[in-house]
Every structure is written in C-alpha cells, then in structure tokens.
Short mmCIF file of all heavy atoms in Angstrom, two decimals:
data_model
loop_
_atom_site.label_atom_id
_atom_site.label_comp_id
_atom_site.label_asym_id
_atom_site.label_seq_id
_atom_site.Cartn_x
_atom_site.Cartn_y
_atom_site.Cartn_z
N ASP E 239 0.83 -1.20 0.00
CA ASP E 239 0.00 0.00 0.00
C ASP E 239 0.86 1.24 0.00
O ASP E 239 2.06 1.22 0.32
CB ASP E 239 -0.91 0.00 1.22
CG ASP E 239 -0.13 0.03 2.52
OD1 ASP E 239 0.50 -1.02 2.85
OD2 ASP E 239 -0.12 1.07 3.18
N ASN E 240 0.24 2.37 -0.35
CA ASN E 240 0.96 3.65 -0.43
C ASN E 240 1.47 4.11 0.93
O ASN E 240 2.50 4.79 1.02
CB ASN E 240 0.04 4.73 -1.02
CG ASN E 240 -0.21 4.48 -2.51
OD1 ASN E 240 0.69 4.04 -3.22
ND2 ASN E 240 -1.43 4.76 -2.96
N GLY E 241 0.76 3.77 2.02
CA GLY E 241 1.18 4.25 3.33
C GLY E 241 2.23 3.38 3.99
O GLY E 241 2.71 3.73 5.08
N GLY E 242 2.58 2.26 3.42
CA GLY E 242 3.60 1.39 4.00
C GLY E 242 3.14 0.59 5.19
O GLY E 242 3.97 0.02 5.92
N VAL E 243 1.82 0.52 5.43
CA VAL E 243 1.30 -0.20 6.58
C VAL E 243 1.63 -1.69 6.49
O VAL E 243 1.89 -2.36 7.50
CB VAL E 243 -0.22 0.01 6.70
CG1 VAL E 243 -0.80 -0.82 7.84
CG2 VAL E 243 -0.53 1.49 6.89
N SER E 244 1.66 -2.21 5.28
CA SER E 244 1.81 -3.66 5.11
C SER E 244 3.25 -4.10 4.88
O SER E 244 3.50 -5.28 4.62
CB SER E 244 0.98 -4.11 3.90
OG SER E 244 1.42 -3.43 2.71
N SER E 245 4.21 -3.20 4.97
CA SER E 245 5.60 -3.54 4.60
C SER E 245 6.15 -4.70 5.41
O SER E 245 6.73 -5.65 4.86
CB SER E 245 6.50 -2.31 4.76
OG SER E 245 6.07 -1.28 3.91
N ALA E 246 5.96 -4.69 6.71
CA ALA E 246 6.56 -5.72 7.55
C ALA E 246 5.95 -7.09 7.28
O ALA E 246 6.66 -8.09 7.09
CB ALA E 246 6.40 -5.34 9.02
N VAL E 247 4.62 -7.14 7.26
CA VAL E 247 3.98 -8.43 7.04
C VAL E 247 4.21 -8.93 5.62
O VAL E 247 4.31 -10.12 5.36
CB VAL E 247 2.46 -8.33 7.37
CG1 VAL E 247 1.74 -7.44 6.36
CG2 VAL E 247 1.84 -9.71 7.40
N LEU E 248 4.33 -7.99 4.66
CA LEU E 248 4.58 -8.39 3.27
C LEU E 248 5.94 -9.06 3.14
O LEU E 248 6.07 -10.10 2.47
CB LEU E 248 4.50 -7.17 2.36
CG LEU E 248 4.75 -7.44 0.87
CD1 LEU E 248 3.68 -8.36 0.31
CD2 LEU E 248 4.75 -6.11 0.09
N GLN E 249 6.95 -8.51 3.77
CA GLN E 249 8.28 -9.11 3.69
C GLN E 249 8.31 -10.50 4.30
O GLN E 249 9.02 -11.39 3.84
CB GLN E 249 9.29 -8.20 4.41
CG GLN E 249 9.51 -6.86 3.72
CD GLN E 249 9.97 -7.02 2.28
OE1 GLN E 249 10.82 -7.89 1.97
NE2 GLN E 249 9.41 -6.21 1.41
N LYS E 250 7.50 -10.71 5.34
CA LYS E 250 7.44 -12.02 5.99
C LYS E 250 6.96 -13.09 5.01
O LYS E 250 7.55 -14.17 4.91
CB LYS E 250 6.53 -11.95 7.21
CG LYS E 250 6.22 -13.30 7.85
CD LYS E 250 5.21 -13.17 8.96
CE LYS E 250 4.81 -14.54 9.50
NZ LYS E 250 3.77 -14.43 10.56
N TYR E 251 5.92 -12.77 4.24
CA TYR E 251 5.36 -13.78 3.35
C TYR E 251 6.10 -13.86 2.02
O TYR E 251 6.09 -14.90 1.36
CB TYR E 251 3.87 -13.49 3.11
CG TYR E 251 3.05 -13.72 4.36
CD1 TYR E 251 2.40 -12.67 5.00
CD2 TYR E 251 2.93 -15.00 4.91
CE1 TYR E 251 1.66 -12.88 6.15
CE2 TYR E 251 2.20 -15.21 6.07
CZ TYR E 251 1.57 -14.15 6.67
OH TYR E 251 0.85 -14.37 7.82
N LEU E 252 6.76 -12.76 1.62
CA LEU E 252 7.55 -12.81 0.40
C LEU E 252 8.83 -13.61 0.58
O LEU E 252 9.46 -14.02 -0.40
CB LEU E 252 7.90 -11.39 -0.06
CG LEU E 252 6.74 -10.55 -0.63
CD1 LEU E 252 7.24 -9.16 -1.01
CD2 LEU E 252 6.12 -11.24 -1.83
N ALA E 253 9.23 -13.84 1.83
CA ALA E 253 10.45 -14.62 2.07
C ALA E 253 10.26 -16.08 1.68
O ALA E 253 11.24 -16.81 1.51
CB ALA E 253 10.84 -14.50 3.54
N LYS E 254 9.01 -16.53 1.55
CA LYS E 254 8.72 -17.89 1.13
C LYS E 254 8.16 -17.87 -0.29
O LYS E 254 7.74 -16.83 -0.79
CB LYS E 254 7.72 -18.54 2.08
CG LYS E 254 8.17 -18.54 3.54
CD LYS E 254 7.09 -19.12 4.44
CE LYS E 254 7.50 -19.08 5.90
NZ LYS E 254 6.44 -19.62 6.80
N ASN E 255 8.14 -19.02 -0.90
CA ASN E 255 7.62 -19.12 -2.26
C ASN E 255 6.14 -19.52 -2.28
O ASN E 255 5.69 -20.27 -3.14
CB ASN E 255 8.43 -20.13 -3.08
CG ASN E 255 9.77 -19.56 -3.52
OD1 ASN E 255 9.90 -18.35 -3.69
ND2 ASN E 255 10.75 -20.42 -3.69
N THR E 256 5.39 -19.00 -1.30
CA THR E 256 3.96 -19.28 -1.25
C THR E 256 3.26 -18.58 -2.41
O THR E 256 3.52 -17.39 -2.67
CB THR E 256 3.37 -18.78 0.07
OG1 THR E 256 4.11 -19.34 1.16
CG2 THR E 256 1.91 -19.17 0.19
N PRO E 257 2.39 -19.25 -3.16
CA PRO E 257 1.66 -18.60 -4.27
C PRO E 257 0.88 -17.39 -3.77
O PRO E 257 0.31 -17.40 -2.67
CB PRO E 257 0.73 -19.70 -4.78
CG PRO E 257 1.38 -20.98 -4.38
CD PRO E 257 2.07 -20.70 -3.07
N ILE E 258 0.83 -16.34 -4.60
CA ILE E 258 0.19 -15.08 -4.22
C ILE E 258 -0.72 -14.61 -5.35
O ILE E 258 -0.36 -14.68 -6.53
CB ILE E 258 1.23 -13.99 -3.90
CG1 ILE E 258 2.05 -14.37 -2.66
CG2 ILE E 258 0.56 -12.64 -3.68
CD1 ILE E 258 3.11 -13.35 -2.31
N LEU E 259 -1.90 -14.12 -4.97
CA LEU E 259 -2.79 -13.40 -5.87
C LEU E 259 -2.83 -11.95 -5.42
O LEU E 259 -3.26 -11.65 -4.30
CB LEU E 259 -4.20 -14.01 -5.86
CG LEU E 259 -5.31 -13.18 -6.53
CD1 LEU E 259 -5.02 -12.98 -8.01
CD2 LEU E 259 -6.68 -13.82 -6.33
N PHE E 260 -2.35 -11.02 -6.27
CA PHE E 260 -2.40 -9.59 -5.99
C PHE E 260 -3.69 -9.03 -6.58
O PHE E 260 -4.01 -9.26 -7.75
CB PHE E 260 -1.21 -8.86 -6.62
CG PHE E 260 0.12 -9.14 -5.97
CD1 PHE E 260 0.94 -10.15 -6.44
CD2 PHE E 260 0.55 -8.39 -4.89
CE1 PHE E 260 2.17 -10.40 -5.86
CE2 PHE E 260 1.78 -8.63 -4.29
CZ PHE E 260 2.60 -9.64 -4.77
N VAL E 261 -4.42 -8.28 -5.77
CA VAL E 261 -5.59 -7.54 -6.24
C VAL E 261 -5.29 -6.06 -6.04
O VAL E 261 -5.17 -5.60 -4.89
CB VAL E 261 -6.87 -7.95 -5.48
CG1 VAL E 261 -8.07 -7.18 -6.03
CG2 VAL E 261 -7.11 -9.45 -5.61
N LEU E 262 -5.15 -5.34 -7.15
CA LEU E 262 -4.74 -3.94 -7.07
C LEU E 262 -5.94 -3.02 -6.90
O LEU E 262 -7.07 -3.35 -7.26
CB LEU E 262 -3.97 -3.55 -8.34
CG LEU E 262 -2.74 -4.41 -8.67
CD1 LEU E 262 -2.03 -3.88 -9.91
CD2 LEU E 262 -1.78 -4.46 -7.49
N GLY E 263 -5.67 -1.82 -6.32
CA GLY E 263 -6.69 -0.80 -6.13
C GLY E 263 -6.06 0.57 -6.02
O GLY E 263 -4.84 0.73 -6.24
N ASN E 264 -6.87 1.55 -5.64
CA ASN E 264 -6.34 2.92 -5.60
C ASN E 264 -5.36 3.14 -4.47
O ASN E 264 -4.66 4.16 -4.43
CB ASN E 264 -7.49 3.93 -5.52
CG ASN E 264 -8.34 3.73 -4.29
OD1 ASN E 264 -8.09 2.84 -3.47
ND2 ASN E 264 -9.38 4.54 -4.14
N GLN E 265 -5.24 2.21 -3.50
CA GLN E 265 -4.28 2.33 -2.41
C GLN E 265 -3.01 1.52 -2.66
O GLN E 265 -2.11 1.51 -1.80
CB GLN E 265 -4.92 1.86 -1.10
CG GLN E 265 -6.09 2.72 -0.64
CD GLN E 265 -5.65 4.15 -0.33
OE1 GLN E 265 -4.57 4.37 0.25
NE2 GLN E 265 -6.45 5.12 -0.73
N SER E 266 -2.93 0.84 -3.80
CA SER E 266 -1.76 0.01 -4.08
C SER E 266 -0.56 0.86 -4.43
O SER E 266 -0.67 1.87 -5.14
CB SER E 266 -2.06 -0.95 -5.24
OG SER E 266 -3.10 -1.85 -4.91
N SER E 267 0.62 0.43 -3.97
CA SER E 267 1.88 1.12 -4.26
C SER E 267 2.58 0.36 -5.38
O SER E 267 2.96 -0.81 -5.20
CB SER E 267 2.75 1.17 -3.00
OG SER E 267 3.99 1.76 -3.29
N MET E 268 2.77 1.00 -6.53
CA MET E 268 3.30 0.32 -7.72
C MET E 268 4.78 -0.03 -7.58
O MET E 268 5.22 -1.05 -8.11
CB MET E 268 3.08 1.19 -8.96
CG MET E 268 1.62 1.33 -9.37
SD MET E 268 0.82 -0.22 -9.76
CE MET E 268 -0.19 -0.46 -8.30
N GLY E 269 5.54 0.78 -6.87
CA GLY E 269 6.97 0.49 -6.74
C GLY E 269 7.22 -0.84 -6.04
O GLY E 269 7.84 -1.75 -6.61
N PRO E 270 6.78 -1.02 -4.80
CA PRO E 270 6.96 -2.31 -4.13
C PRO E 270 6.23 -3.45 -4.85
O PRO E 270 6.70 -4.59 -4.83
CB PRO E 270 6.35 -2.06 -2.74
CG PRO E 270 6.42 -0.59 -2.55
CD PRO E 270 6.24 0.01 -3.90
N PHE E 271 5.10 -3.13 -5.48
CA PHE E 271 4.40 -4.19 -6.23
C PHE E 271 5.27 -4.72 -7.36
O PHE E 271 5.36 -5.95 -7.58
CB PHE E 271 3.07 -3.65 -6.76
CG PHE E 271 2.44 -4.53 -7.81
CD1 PHE E 271 1.80 -5.71 -7.45
CD2 PHE E 271 2.51 -4.19 -9.15
CE1 PHE E 271 1.23 -6.53 -8.42
CE2 PHE E 271 1.94 -5.01 -10.12
CZ PHE E 271 1.30 -6.18 -9.76
N ASN E 272 5.92 -3.84 -8.11
CA ASN E 272 6.75 -4.27 -9.25
C ASN E 272 7.90 -5.15 -8.81
O ASN E 272 8.30 -6.07 -9.53
CB ASN E 272 7.26 -3.05 -10.01
CG ASN E 272 6.16 -2.33 -10.78
OD1 ASN E 272 5.15 -2.94 -11.14
ND2 ASN E 272 6.34 -1.04 -11.02
N THR E 273 8.44 -4.88 -7.63
CA THR E 273 9.57 -5.69 -7.16
C THR E 273 9.11 -6.99 -6.50
O THR E 273 9.94 -7.87 -6.21
CB THR E 273 10.41 -4.90 -6.15
OG1 THR E 273 9.59 -4.52 -5.04
CG2 THR E 273 10.98 -3.65 -6.81
N SER E 274 7.80 -7.12 -6.26
CA SER E 274 7.30 -8.28 -5.52
C SER E 274 6.65 -9.32 -6.41
O SER E 274 6.34 -10.42 -5.93
CB SER E 274 6.26 -7.83 -4.47
OG SER E 274 6.81 -6.87 -3.60
N ASN E 275 6.39 -9.03 -7.69
CA ASN E 275 5.68 -9.98 -8.54
C ASN E 275 6.45 -10.27 -9.81
O ASN E 275 7.28 -9.47 -10.26
CB ASN E 275 4.27 -9.45 -8.87
CG ASN E 275 4.26 -8.54 -10.08
OD1 ASN E 275 3.98 -8.96 -11.20
ND2 ASN E 275 4.57 -7.25 -9.87
N SER E 276 6.16 -11.42 -10.41
CA SER E 276 6.84 -11.86 -11.63
C SER E 276 5.90 -11.87 -12.83
O SER E 276 6.20 -12.51 -13.83
CB SER E 276 7.40 -13.28 -11.42
OG SER E 276 6.34 -14.18 -11.07
#
C-alpha cells in the first residue's frame, strides 16, 4: 500500500515461495508491487 502499513507483514510472506494473488486498487503502491511480482 501507499502508506507502507503492510511492509513488515509483506516481507514475511515474500520470504517464502507461497503462491500469491495480488488484487490492485487505488491504495496500491506500484513500486513495491513491481519488485514483488513476476
């Protein structure tokens, strides 16, 4: 998100190769999103 509220929990789950479905919206932060998805 744009406010960085989810940064800590996001890094926890990105450390594993668990499958992820991203649903984007007006609060999504494109910079961290681009580095987090393939």
Side-chain angles (χ1 to χ4, degrees):
D239 62 288
N240 289 323
V243 176
S244 60
S245 298
V247 68
L248 179 63
Q249 293 302 319
K250 171 185 175 182
Y251 291 115
L252 289 179
K254 303 176 182 179
N255 284 331
T256 306
I258 295 179
L259 167 62
F260 289 93
V261 181
L262 304 183
N264 60 0
Q265 295 296 321
S266 297
S267 177
M268 291 300 105
F271 166 76
N272 289 335
T273 60
S274 304
N275 86 96
S276 58

